[in-house]
């Protein structure tokens, strides 16, 4: 009860702030301080974004559909670094006995993964790294780099290019041997799933707007798109709903079947039945593993 009351007070604060901001923004537009062409977007884009429930996939759950081939789950597992550089020097320019390593993964020359620095170790595992799904273009060239953040010479500990990724991955593991004697191990596996609808939305004054859709999700496969308006939920018109009612309906019916009536700007209203299923979000969509 207390948590519900706090949530209600927080939402009232956010909506009150949003209304006040829009009023001030509109006033500035009226006197020319905000360009008229920007007023509608600049003054209106302050509604809180909400998301349909997301949870871990239950053990034994069949993945239908299976992970898309264009997506991979990639993470650095570990590295083993020799005790000294190739010319026999200590690693750390400040006199430490071990390097402060970090790793990079580039795809076609563009940085995809950058681990945090793990200090003073020859066996980093980078526990704070972002572990996620990534889109890999077909026939992509991967470059794996291992660096010391405090080097005597600014040369990588390891620099390795991979052109035939699938041929080198064994049981979801990619092992790299470096000219320096270092070794790097990565996990390269089919995309990992979450359970959900893949739907993000915002509660406006008299309507609900779709703000984002996970690219590989039940919402996307139902052809729901950013900008669609939700007119009704479980047969109940959105206009006139009580505070929190829309979110409660979406949360309560996401597993069993969520009935939505949607309106797109260039098309007629249509009805969609959404049900929670496996989805495969990428890092840029805000979900990690």
């Amino acid at each position: 009860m207390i948590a519900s009351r706090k949530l209600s007070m927080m939402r009232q604060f956010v909506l009150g702030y949003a209304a006040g901001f829009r009023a001030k923004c509109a006033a500035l537009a009226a006197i020319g301080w905000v360009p008229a062409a920007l007023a509608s977007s600049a003054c209106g884009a302050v509604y809180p974004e909400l998301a349909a429930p997301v949870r871990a996939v239950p053990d034994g759950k069949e993945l239908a559909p299976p992970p898309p081939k264009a997506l991979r789950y990639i993470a650095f597992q570990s590295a083993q670094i020799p005790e000294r550089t190739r010319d026999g020097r200590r690693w750390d320019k400040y006199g430490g006995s071990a390097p402060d390593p970090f790793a990079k993964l580039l795809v076609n020359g563009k940085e995809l993964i950058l681990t945090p620095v793990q200090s003073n170790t020859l066996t980093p595992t980078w526990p704070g790294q972002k572990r996620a799904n990534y889109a890999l273009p077909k026939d992509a060239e991967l470059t794996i780099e291992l660096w010391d953040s405090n080097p005597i010479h600014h040369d990588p500990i390891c620099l390795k290019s991979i052109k035939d990724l699938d041929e080198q991955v064994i049981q979801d593991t990619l092992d790299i041997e470096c000219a320096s004697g270092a070794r790097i191990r990565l996990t390269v596996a089919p995309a990992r799933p979450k359970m959900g609808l893949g739907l993000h939305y915002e509660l406006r004054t008299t309507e609900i707007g779709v703000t984002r859709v996970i690219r590989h999700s039940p919402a996307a496969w139902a052809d729901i798109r950013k900008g669609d308006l939700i007119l009704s939920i479980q047969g109940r018109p959105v206009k006139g709903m009580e505070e929190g009612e829309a979110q409660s309906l979406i949360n309560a019916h996401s597993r069993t079947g969520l009935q939505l009536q949607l309106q797109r700007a260039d098309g007629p209203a249509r009805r969609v039945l959404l049900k929670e299923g496996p989805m495969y979000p990428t890092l840029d969509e805000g979900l990690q593993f």
Side-chain angles (χ1 to χ4, degrees):
M1 184 70 179
I2 295 176
S4 177
R5 186 179 304 164
K6 287 183 177 178
L7 180 62
S8 176
M9 291 174 65
M10 183 180 295
R11 184 170 181 272
Q12 287 178 7
F13 170 80
V14 172
L15 291 178
Y17 175 85
F21 176 84
R22 287 192 297 274
K24 292 177 182 178
C25 191
L28 292 174
I31 62 175
W33 285 24
V34 174
L38 298 178
S40 60
S41 59
C43 299
V46 289
Y47 297 100
E49 184 183 64
L50 303 173
V54 176
R55 63 187 179 107
V57 177
D59 292 339
K61 174 71 175 179
E62 181 181 356
L63 299 180
K69 292 183 179 180
L71 295 185
R72 298 290 186 90
Y73 171 83
I74 306 176
F76 283 91
Q77 282 190 34
S78 62
Q80 295 179 357
I81 302 171
E83 291 184 0
R84 291 182 179 266
T85 64
R86 276 182 281 188
D87 58 3
R89 301 184 186 187
R90 290 179 178 271
W91 284 104
D92 197 328
K93 68 181 180 181
Y94 298 113
S97 60
D100 302 322
F102 65 94
K104 294 182 182 182
L105 174 64
L106 293 85
V107 177
N108 295 335
K110 183 178 180 180
E111 185 177 286
L112 186 69
I113 300 176
L114 175 63
T115 72
V117 173
Q118 189 169 348
S119 299
N120 199 37
T121 179
L122 297 172
T123 55
T125 57
W126 302 291
Q129 69 179 291
K130 296 177 180 178
R131 303 173 187 273
N133 296 326
Y134 300 90
L136 289 185
K138 186 178 181 181
D139 300 324
E141 180 175 352
L142 278 63
T143 304
I144 295 156
E145 300 180 1
L146 181 62
W147 294 84
D148 180 7
S149 68
N150 293 312
I152 296 174
H153 300 292
H154 196 66
D155 295 316
I157 300 171
C158 183
L159 180 63
K160 192 84 170 183
S161 293
I162 305 291
K163 293 184 178 180
D164 50 353
L165 179 65
D166 290 334
E167 295 181 12
Q168 298 199 37
V169 173
I170 300 175
Q171 296 183 343
D172 297 342
T173 300
L174 175 63
D175 284 316
I176 303 296
E177 294 186 5
C178 312
S180 65
R183 301 171 69 92
I184 308 172
R185 172 166 286 185
L186 295 89
T187 297
V188 181
R192 292 190 177 180
K194 296 275 191 182
M195 294 294 289
L197 301 177
L199 181 68
H200 295 253
Y201 59 95
E202 61 184 17
L203 304 175
R204 301 168 186 166
T205 306
T206 60
E207 61 188 20
I208 298 176
V210 176
T211 55
R212 287 192 292 135
V213 173
I214 301 296
R215 286 184 291 270
H216 299 278
S217 70
W221 298 320
D223 194 33
I224 298 177
R225 303 179 194 174
K226 176 181 177 179
D228 287 353
L229 295 180
I230 300 175
L231 304 180
S232 70
I233 305 172
Q234 301 303 112
R236 305 180 192 179
V238 166
K239 190 173 182 179
M241 278 188 175
E242 297 292 330
E243 179 185 336
E245 184 178 357
Q247 185 178 10
S248 295
L249 287 171
I250 291 172
N251 292 351
H253 294 279
S254 63
R255 295 193 190 186
T256 56
L258 179 66
Q259 300 173 25
L260 299 176
Q261 185 182 30
L262 299 163
Q263 175 74 60
R264 191 165 295 162
D266 58 353
R270 64 189 184 97
R271 296 186 182 277
V272 170
L273 178 62
L274 270 185
K275 190 174 181 180
E276 176 195 75
M279 61 180 190
Y280 304 93
T282 53
L283 181 63
D284 66 322
E285 293 174 315
L287 289 174
Q288 301 179 41
F289 293 86

